[in-house]
Amino acid sequence: MKTESRMAKQFNLLLNDLYSLSSEIQILLCVAVWVIIGVFLRALFVQGDADATLMVWIVLFILVNGMLSGLIVAMLVALIATLIMSPYGVFDNTDFSQGELGLRGIAMLCGAGIGGGMKRLIQDLNARLYNIEHRVQGTELPNYLAAIKHLEKLIKLNKTESQELDILNVQLENIEQIRKLVGQKRADQQIKEFADILKEKLGSSSHI
């Protein structure tokens, strides 16, 4: 159980590192996956329907493409691959029936859907996790961890740029009593309104 949890954590970290890469590198990775899919399609064209393993690899790399580029692009790749296998494509040396072609197309579309769905799910989960770790629940304002990370970023920038860094620490007294009097939701709303007013007074470049 611990091994599976560790593997899942490592897999999630790998995907996070992948999605944090620049868009140019991600596009290059997608192109590499498309080339691999093309190579397998060519091998399937040469061997005919003799090796079903090639079809499994094509579906697998279409799934990987979905995890890299998203649902829409992966669906387009699956449709193009299905069209290539059809009588209107280049597979004139194979005898795919309509049923076989349909099953292959469904398998590739399912791979694209699973890959694209996994990417969207992982991104949504990471966004929720970031909000939990870096936002105050209720007000959705940045918490201490977000403030520390923002300060670290400003300090790094300040090493190369001659800018002054001002830190203002504001503490609201009797906040628990206010919550008891007006309720949690209303108190959070008032804190958010106060933060908006403070940000307006300090300027748009300020971090509240």
Side-chain angles (χ1 to χ4, degrees), residues 13-33:
L13 290 174
L14 176 64
L15 290 177
N16 287 335
D17 292 339
L18 178 64
Y19 295 145
S20 64
L21 295 174
S22 64
S23 58
E24 292 82 2
I25 296 179
Q26 292 190 36
I27 291 173
L28 287 176
L29 290 174
C30 289
V31 171
V33 172

Side-chain angles (χ1 to χ4, degrees), residues 65-81:
N65 182 72
M67 295 179 67
L68 287 172
S69 58
L71 179 63
I72 297 177
V73 175
M75 285 289 185
L76 288 175
V77 172
L79 288 173
I80 292 172

Side-chain angles (χ1 to χ4, degrees), residues 83-130:
L83 182 62
I84 291 175
M85 293 182 184
S86 71
Y88 304 100
V90 298
F91 277 32
D92 54 359
N93 68 332
T94 54
D95 297 325
F96 292 160
S97 66
Q98 290 185 353
E100 289 174 334
L101 182 63
L103 289 175
R104 291 169 186 269
I106 291 172
M108 290 186 289
L109 288 172
C110 287
I114 293 172
M118 287 179 65
K119 178 178 182 179
R120 184 171 299 178
L121 177 63
I122 291 169
Q123 289 178 332
D124 289 344
L125 290 176
N126 286 334
R128 292 181 183 181
L129 181 61
Y130 179 87

